[in-house]
Amino acid sequence: MKMPRFRNLRSRLAVAFVGLGLVPLATLAVLSYGRASDAIEAKSGALLRGAAIDVAERLDLALAGRYDDAQLFGVNPMAQGSREEISAAANLYTRGRGAYDLMLVVDRDGNILGANTVAFDGKPLETSALVGRSVRGQEWFEQSVNGTIRRGETYHSEVSEDPLTTEALHAPRPVRTLNFSAPIFDQEGRVVRVWSSRVSWDRVVGQLVAETRVTLAQRGLEGVSVTLVSRGGAVLEADDPNQIGEDLSAVGAVSTSEASARASGARREALRGDDAVIGFATSRGAGAYAGQGRRVLVAQAVAAAIAGAHDLRSFLAIACGVAALAIVLLALLLSARITRPIVHMVETLEKVEQGDLTCRASVSGDDETAAMGKALNLTLQRLEDAFARMASGAATLSSSSEELTTVAKQMRSSSEETSRQATVVATAAEEVSQNVQTVAVSAEQLSATINEIAKSTHQAATVAADAVQVAAS
């Protein structure tokens, strides 16, 4: 694709100004959005981490109370009484605490001696079918009677589907409970019975998680999910019941190595295939309750977590659009202001090209363009003066030429007279030349005669000399 070509200076300047304005503006907007997104994400992570810590601490405190309850209930003398006394005590605690679905008292042989006969809401509960049933072999009972659970300690388990509670409540689906059991000691310190309380998971943990979700929504954190994960990574509680039992051990915020290194934190990672900001915290227990090492995950989709950044992005887009429009208008105005004097000078030069030296460029201001206009005007003025002087000189030259023509005519007339006289002189000279030639011929003849006379004289002298010599001899 070819880049558009801008042939005039104004358009080039406008494009340059727009580029110089928009590039930094766009860069600033992108950087601002990026930093705002990171800041908002970090803030969301801190809020989610705080929520996870709060859930973990509240969960530990709630279950620490249930941990202590098992021992407290066991020291009640009615726990070592008859079936009716056991039921009376169990009914009191069931209605008073509101957290329990089923309470059992088991003898040392593992046989159920009694149970509560009312539910947490005061409704009758038919549990007589449980009385006399053996629980021998179950972990909570065996550890309570074999000394594994000592005085001042309580057996506690991870959540599980409890058949006894499901039967007692006549529930259409398995009921999940937490088992808190403690040995009952006689005056000699011997284990004679075991008190076992089944804590309702839904009313204690599920309700706590639901309340947390509502609280976070009220604080403006929409679309937040709260997930409780076991030490091994299995989902114990989630917004979607179908996710319960799902293995999340591969998620970084759940991994045991992360749990051992950091009790809490926040991170961005994929959760169930979607990028999310996850605040996490590990259950550490409270008081004598050591906890189960559960992991609380409070997650929010990244898109929801940085929704504020999306609002900022919209604002920046609008602001950048307005700023871009202002930059374009300002660029057009500036380019027009810069090029207007140059356009005037070009128009002036075009008139000069057509032979008009009287035109002048309009000049205003004292910048470089104005200086160039002044220089152009001065040059044109000097050219005009020079051409005026040349015109004046041409007129003078024309007058002088006419005078020279007259002189030339006079010189021509004189030349003709001189030529005529020269012809006369030439004729006379020719006659003189002929006379001279005649004289010359006569002279030559005279010279020859003289030479002959001289030659005869010489010969006579020679003869005379010879005669003298003869006479002398």
Side-chain angles (χ1 to χ4, degrees):
M1 179 179 180
K2 293 184 178 180
M3 296 294 292
R5 298 181 63 185
F6 302 98
R7 298 184 178 277
N8 58 65
L9 181 61
R10 180 179 179 181
S11 59
R12 292 176 183 175
L13 285 175
V15 171
F17 288 147
V18 170
L20 290 174
L22 291 183
V23 170
L25 180 65
T27 302
L28 179 62
V30 171
L31 292 177
S32 298
Y33 174 72
R35 295 191 64 178
S37 298
D38 293 341
I40 293 174
E41 184 176 326
K43 182 179 179 181
S44 297
L47 291 175
L48 298 175
R49 172 180 175 269
I53 293 174
D54 180 67
V55 171
E57 291 178 347
R58 291 171 60 194
L59 179 62
D60 285 339
L61 288 174
L63 297 184
R66 308 294 78 77
Y67 182 94
D68 295 336
D69 279 352
Q71 301 173 48
L72 179 63
F73 298 160
V75 298
N76 186 335
M78 297 177 70
Q80 297 187 39
S82 64
R83 173 180 174 182
E84 290 73 15
E85 291 176 322
I86 293 173
S87 295
N91 292 340
L92 177 66
Y93 297 143
T94 299
R95 297 194 60 184
R97 293 289 194 272
Y100 298 103
D101 282 335
L102 181 66
M103 291 187 179
L104 303 173
V105 173
V106 183
D107 63 18
R108 188 174 176 82
D109 295 327
N111 299 315
I112 298 176
L113 300 177
N116 56 306
T117 57
V118 295
F120 72 97
D121 55 2
K123 295 180 179 180
L125 191 65
E126 179 56 52
T127 57
S128 58
L130 300 179
V131 176
R133 190 172 302 180
S134 176
V135 294
R136 180 178 292 276
Q138 297 185 21
E139 183 181 73
W140 60 271
F141 171 75
E142 298 298 336
Q143 289 189 11
S144 295
V145 298
N146 65 15
T148 301
I149 305 300
R150 295 171 294 182
R151 186 186 293 272
E153 295 179 346
T154 300
Y155 170 89
H156 56 93
S157 68
E158 188 55 273
V159 62
S160 62
E161 296 176 352
D162 182 33
L164 294 177
T165 303
T166 301
E167 181 181 346
L169 298 179
H170 304 285
R173 58 184 179 83
V175 177
R176 296 192 301 161
T177 64
L178 294 168
N179 189 331
F180 288 88
S181 301
I184 300 173
F185 298 92
D186 61 11
Q187 294 181 351
E188 286 76 23
R190 293 173 299 182
V191 176
V192 292
R193 292 182 179 182
V194 176
W195 184 287
S196 182
S197 303
R198 309 301 165 90
V199 177
S200 171
W201 176 266
D202 291 338
R203 289 200 307 278
V204 175
V205 180
Q207 184 175 343
L208 188 153
V209 169
E211 290 173 354
T212 300
R213 194 179 302 113
V214 172
T215 300
L216 292 176
Q218 292 173 347
R219 294 171 61 182
L221 294 176
E222 298 292 341
V224 175
S225 65
V226 182
T227 306
L228 192 62
V229 184
S230 70
R231 189 191 302 271
V235 175
L236 304 176
E237 182 67 26
D239 297 347
D240 183 0
N242 294 325
Q243 295 173 352
I244 295 175
E246 181 183 353
D247 184 10
L248 294 183
S249 59
V251 178
V254 180
S255 65
T256 55
S257 59
E258 181 76 15
S260 61
R262 299 172 61 190
S264 63
R267 61 194 300 165
R268 176 178 179 171
E269 63 179 311
L271 181 63
R272 300 186 180 94
D274 297 324
D275 280 345
V277 180
I278 304 175
F280 57 91
T282 302
S283 170
R284 297 296 185 183
Y289 174 64
Q292 292 286 337
R294 302 179 184 95
R295 197 75 154 164
V296 179
L297 306 181
V298 182
Q300 186 179 30
V302 172
I306 61 175
H310 295 329
D311 295 337
L312 175 63
R313 181 176 61 184
S314 300
F315 171 77
L316 287 175
I318 296 173
C320 287
V322 174
L325 180 60
I327 289 172
V328 170
L329 294 176
L330 183 60
L332 292 175
L333 291 175
L334 285 176
S335 61
R337 184 169 182 178
I338 291 173
T339 58
R340 188 178 296 113
I342 300 176
V343 171
H344 289 167
M345 284 185 278
V346 171
E347 292 173 349
T348 301
L349 289 172
E350 288 176 347
K351 292 179 180 179
V352 171
E353 182 185 8
Q354 296 172 1
D356 183 6
L357 295 177
T358 62
C359 60
R360 297 290 184 270
S362 60
V363 177
S364 61
D366 56 356
D367 56 7
E368 291 79 359
T369 307
M372 185 168 61
K374 292 176 182 178
L376 175 61
N377 289 340
L378 180 59
T379 300
L380 293 176
Q381 183 63 50
R382 290 181 177 177
L383 284 173
E384 185 180 6
D385 294 343
F387 277 102
R389 289 193 297 271
M390 291 175 62
S392 176
T396 303
L397 180 61
S398 177
S399 176
S400 299
S401 176
E402 290 178 357
E403 292 177 359
L404 287 173
T405 300
T406 302
V407 172
K409 289 180 179 179
Q410 293 174 354
M411 290 178 64
R412 180 179 178 183
S413 177
S414 299
S415 174
E416 289 176 352
E417 180 63 27
T418 301
S419 176
R420 185 181 60 78
Q421 292 177 359
T423 302
V424 174
V425 172
T427 302
E430 185 177 355
E431 292 176 356
V432 172
S433 176
Q434 290 176 357
N435 292 333
V436 172
Q437 288 178 359
T438 303
V439 174
V441 171
S442 298
E444 287 178 358
Q445 292 176 355
L446 180 59
S447 177
T449 301
I450 293 171
N451 286 334
E452 287 294 331
I453 294 171
K455 181 176 177 183
S456 298
T457 303
H458 179 67
Q459 289 176 356
T462 301
V463 172
D466 289 340
V468 173
Q469 285 180 0
V470 171
S473 59

